[in-house]
Amino acid sequence: MSVTTNRPAKGLGALRVRFASLAREIAKFGVVGALGVLVNFAVFNLMRHGTDLQVVRASVIATVVAIVFNYVGFRYFTYRDRDKSGRAKELTLFLLFSVVGLVIENGVLYAATYSFHWDSSLQSNIFKFLGMGLATLFRFWSYRTWVFRALPAKEAVASAESFLDEPAPPVQRIK
């Protein structure tokens, strides 16, 4: 029989719990991000080879499509347990930080394409990928810090224990 207390974990145990939580968050962020990368590359290459758009314009369109895809994934999968009270503020911050990420991602592609004339299909995809990597680091930090904020501990516990307030179903006896 184990005894549980309401005391917070201390020392190494607390560190393990925080690390495990961060690892789960990174994994979920990675799943949504990986799918977003696939969406981004698919739209980019369709736009690049199916239209007469310039490379960076095709990339910006692809990034915008991926941003919309990622918001849905982050809100309803990665950060579904986070504070949902200020959706307008959340969406505004998400779009603001996403635009900064868009500039980082496409700035790398722009520099490679127009400064160094590295604009073959392979080179464009490589530099788009590098730009995505830099932008992803920024987005992970900004989304978890400013957009999808953690619930205060008191609210999280109240939310988790809310099922205790529901009346228990009647017990049926088997004869």
Side-chain angles (χ1 to χ4, degrees), residues 69-116:
F69 176 88
N70 286 348
Y71 177 77
V72 173
F74 291 142
R75 168 41 54 215
Y76 297 103
F77 177 65
T78 306
Y79 297 113
R80 70 176 175 249
D81 60 335
R82 299 288 176 99
D83 186 11
K84 297 174 181 81
S85 62
R87 287 285 171 101
K89 180 181 177 186
E90 171 186 286
L91 188 56
T92 301
L93 288 171
F94 181 84
L95 291 174
L96 173 72
F97 292 122
S98 293
V99 167
V100 173
L102 181 144
V103 170
I104 293 168
E105 176 182 329
N106 292 291
V108 171
L109 181 61
Y110 181 90
T113 302
Y114 298 109
S115 297
F116 299 104

Side-chain angles (χ1 to χ4, degrees), residues 39 54 59 69 78 82 126:
V39 167
Q54 295 174 348
S59 180
F69 176 88
T78 306
R82 299 288 176 99
I126 288 171

Side-chain angles (χ1 to χ4, degrees), residues 150-166:
L151 286 170
K154 185 177 180 181
E155 289 178 33
V157 170
S159 175
E161 293 177 346
S162 65
F163 75 92
L164 295 174
D165 296 332
E166 298 173 9

